[in-house]
């Protein structure tokens, strides 16, 4: 395999010193790293550091060498990936708007290979509507974002804006490089989005609703976004998708076979057939663990049905994934989710066994994460590995999840 070439862009923020660690960590993976810097970045860390680390010249001026007038084109052409870490709010704004007024922004515009940005800035700059809009535009244009972390910032403020963990940035970058290879190795597709052709996937999504009476129910706050993102991604990658969903307010992706259900018992019976036919089953639904022993067709009334209203006897619902995965074939891959507030990885490992799953996607709930959000921070937990991803949107998580399933 050819040595992969990463162009590392360093912009002018206090986190610029971490780019040296990123450079080393990429090299340890056998990747050839070249570095370019903005003028401001050279105030934070000397280009000499990167010359010594990378073994290559370090450029920051678009016109520094009159003999090389198209440096940005050459750099873009000669790189498999452009990773800008840290990326300031200013550079993000330039990239989002297609501005090319220095070496870094011109190279970003000239890249035909993937671009990853790892923003780092003050929390208020990060939360500013302009920056959020720029992030959104970049995402829509296929630029990968490694979201900043929460914490105490160099300026003394608390919040999101710290450069993501070096290991997370490096693992994200190498997995993007790796998926480029995967895509070119596939035989059943013309583009990288048909690698699931011929496969049948069952996905459960959304909440279940367990009726108490004609108007009341036990349910939860699952939006269905994660399951629907997986269905959409699997469909785009060529799979036949059956989506068994509780009530949600989003539309099913075009071309998937949608089965709408309300209760856990309906969800289980709707999954039975598609499960036996599936190659992959992803159980993403937030199933109510308990349901009322008795449910009333009419509305219970205060003053008349006080006893029934104040004491609702509950019985356990079937565990859908555990019931079905107990009889899975050896060639089937079963994925479950674990939404936890504490001991996330430990609980996910227990669920791996309890649910007979091949992989558990563990996520922390609370603090604004998971339910209803467009972004999430998850770990893929298998028998002998834990792969933690940085915060990313659910469509990206869906893609990475399916990549991981293919590796199973
Ligand atoms: N699940 C299921 N049927 C249930 C409960 C959960 O299929 N009756 C599946 C979910 O879709 C998910 C996994 O099991 O893939 C874990 O769900 P979770 O709610 O985190 O776990 P529980 O088994 O309900 O355990 P606990 O609530 O104690 O964490």
């Amino acid at each position: 395999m050819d040595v992969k070439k990463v162009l590392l862009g360093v912009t002018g923020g206090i986190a610029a010193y971490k780019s040296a660690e990123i450079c080393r960590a990429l090299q340890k993976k056998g990747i050839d790293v070249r570095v370019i810097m903005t003028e401001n970045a050279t105030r934070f860390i000397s280009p000499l550091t990167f010359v010594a680390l990378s073994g290559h010249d370090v450029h920051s001026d678009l016109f520094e060498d009159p003999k090389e007038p198209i440096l940005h084109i050459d750099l873009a052409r000669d790189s498999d990936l452009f990773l800008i870490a840290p990326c300031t709010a200013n550079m993000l704004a330039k990239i989002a708007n297609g501005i090319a007024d220095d070496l870094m922004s011109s190279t970003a515009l000239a890249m035909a290979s993937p671009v990853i940005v790892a923003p780092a800035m003050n929390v208020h700059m990060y939360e500013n509507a302009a920056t959020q809009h720029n992030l959104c535009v970049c995402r829509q244009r296929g630029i990968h974002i490694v979201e900043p972390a929460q914490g105490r910032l160099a300026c003394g403020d608390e919040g999101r804006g710290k450069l993501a963990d070096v290991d997370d940035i490096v693992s994200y970058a190498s997995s993007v490089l790796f998926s480029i290879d995967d895509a070119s190795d596939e035989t059943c597709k013309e583009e990288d989005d048909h690698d699931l052709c011929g496969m049948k996937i069952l996905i459960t999504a959304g909440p279940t609703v367990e009726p108490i009476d004609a108007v009341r129910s036990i349910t939860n706050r699952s939006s269905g976004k994660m399951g629907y993102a997986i269905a959409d991604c699997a469909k785009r990658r060529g799979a036949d998708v059956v989506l068994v969903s509780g009530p949600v307010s989003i539309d099913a992706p075009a071309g998937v076979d949608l089965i709408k259900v309300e209760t856990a018992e309906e969800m289980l019976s709707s999954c039975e057939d598609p499960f036996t036919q599936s190659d992959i089953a992803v159980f993403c639904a937030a199933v109510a663990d308990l349901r009322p022993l008795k449910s009333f067709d009419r509305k219970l009334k205060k003053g008349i049905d006080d006893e029934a209203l104040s004491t609702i006897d509950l019985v356990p619902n079937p565990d859908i994934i555990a019931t079905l995965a107990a009889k899975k074939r050896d060639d089937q891959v079963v994925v479950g989710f674990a939404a936890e507030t504490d001991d996330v990885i430990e609980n996910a490992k227990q669920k791996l066994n309890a649910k007979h799953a091949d992989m558990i996607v563990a996520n922390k709930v609370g603090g604004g994460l998971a339910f209803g959000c467009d972004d999430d921070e998850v770990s893929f937990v298998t028998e002998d590995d834990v792969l933690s991803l940085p915060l990313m949107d659910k469509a990206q998580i869906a893609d990475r999840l399916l990549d991981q399933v293919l590796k199973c």
Side-chain angles (χ1 to χ4, degrees):
M1 197 169 66
D2 290 345
V3 173
K4 290 285 179 200
K5 293 180 184 172
V6 168
L7 183 64
L8 176 61
V10 185
T11 67
I14 189 66
Y17 72 95
K18 292 195 181 159
S19 310
E21 287 175 44
I22 295 173
C23 177
R24 290 296 293 138
L26 288 168
Q27 287 172 324
K28 281 189 189 148
K29 290 182 175 287
I31 295 165
D32 182 31
V33 185
R34 280 173 174 268
V35 178
I36 59 173
M37 304 174 76
T38 59
E39 291 291 345
N40 283 339
T42 64
R43 295 168 187 241
F44 286 93
I45 182 166
S46 164
L48 197 60
T49 305
F50 294 109
V51 173
L53 288 176
S54 70
H56 294 292
D57 290 342
V58 171
H59 305 281
S60 52
D61 182 358
L62 196 52
F63 301 109
E64 73 191 19
D65 184 352
K67 293 193 292 297
E68 222 177 337
I70 51 164
L71 179 59
H72 58 300
I73 305 291
D74 290 343
L75 287 167
R77 209 180 266 150
D78 199 30
S79 306
D80 299 304
L81 178 86
F82 187 18
L83 167 64
I84 307 179
C87 181
T88 56
N90 182 50
M91 186 53 63
L92 185 76
K94 287 191 196 185
I95 294 171
N97 288 284
I99 293 172
D101 65 350
D102 60 10
L103 179 63
M104 186 86 57
S105 53
S106 302
T107 307
L109 198 60
M111 280 301 292
S113 300
V115 177
I116 302 177
V117 298
M121 63 197 74
N122 167 271
V123 56
H124 303 299
M125 293 172 79
Y126 175 71
E127 286 175 354
N128 189 294
T131 302
Q132 290 302 313
H133 175 75
N134 292 334
L135 282 167
C136 192
V137 170
C138 286
R139 265 196 204 100
Q140 283 166 358
R141 295 195 184 138
I143 291 173
H144 301 260
I145 314 281
V146 184
E147 292 286 347
Q150 300 246 30
R152 191 169 171 75
L153 307 176
C155 54
D157 282 343
E158 285 276 345
R160 197 169 286 283
K162 268 168 72 134
L163 183 70
D165 198 63
V166 167
D167 289 344
D168 289 340
I169 295 172
V170 171
S171 124
Y172 193 106
S174 51
S175 74
V176 171
L177 276 176
F178 182 67
S179 58
I180 299 168
D181 270 355
D182 274 359
S184 55
D185 286 351
E186 282 291 341
T187 50
C188 85
K189 62 193 177 169
E190 285 163 24
E191 296 174 348
D192 68 346
D193 54 357
H194 285 102
D195 53 355
L196 298 176
C197 60
M199 291 204 186
K200 292 187 192 311
I201 302 193
L202 165 67
I203 298 161
T204 69
T208 64
V209 179
E210 312 296 335
I212 297 170
D213 69 5
V215 295
R216 299 176 182 88
S217 59
I218 297 174
T219 187
N220 57 65
R221 290 188 286 128
S222 169
S223 65
K225 283 181 182 172
M226 189 69 247
Y228 277 55
I230 299 166
D232 183 41
C233 185
K235 187 71 209 165
R236 274 194 299 103
R237 289 169 67 160
D240 285 337
V241 181
V242 176
L243 176 61
V244 179
S245 174
V248 293
S249 55
I250 47 179
D251 291 332
V256 312
D257 185 358
L258 175 68
I259 304 175
K260 291 184 184 176
V261 297
E262 297 262 330
T263 66
E265 287 182 305
E266 285 168 18
M267 188 171 269
L268 175 58
S269 68
S270 299
C271 284
E272 262 156 5
D273 257 9
F275 180 78
T276 55
Q277 291 167 33
S278 67
D279 302 291
I280 300 164
V282 182
F283 294 89
C284 195
V287 183
D289 292 317
L290 302 161
R291 67 175 185 279
L293 174 65
K294 180 170 167 46
S295 78
F296 296 82
D297 292 339
R298 62 183 178 83
K299 183 180 175 189
L300 295 175
K301 298 289 290 175
K302 281 200 294 285
I304 301 171
D305 300 304
D306 286 346
E307 201 185 325
L309 275 170
S310 57
T311 318
I312 300 168
D313 287 328
L314 299 172
V315 289
N317 263 329
D319 189 320
I320 300 168
I321 180 173
T323 309
L324 296 174
K327 39 191 183 188
K328 83 182 175 83
R329 303 186 311 271
D330 286 348
D331 63 340
Q332 262 178 316
V333 178
V334 171
V335 179
F337 274 69
E340 305 287 346
T341 52
D342 305 291
D343 303 324
V344 179
I345 302 298
E346 201 42 51
N347 281 317
K349 283 186 174 161
Q350 280 170 17
K351 280 182 186 166
L352 196 64
N353 294 323
K355 312 269 180 182
H356 315 288
D358 299 290
M359 181 166 96
I360 292 286
V361 181
N363 61 351
K364 191 167 171 65
V365 285
L369 283 176
F371 279 150
C373 293
D374 292 327
D375 295 335
D376 201 359
E377 213 169 291
V378 302
S379 299
F380 298 143
V381 179
T382 52
E383 194 62 44
D384 35 42
D385 200 15
V386 176
L387 175 64
S388 296
L389 302 182
L391 186 75
M392 58 178 76
D393 69 41
K394 288 181 175 172
Q396 285 177 309
I397 295 174
D399 238 341
R400 301 288 296 277
L401 184 153
L402 293 171
D403 289 345
Q404 203 63 22
V405 164
L406 286 179
K407 285 182 201 154
C408 287

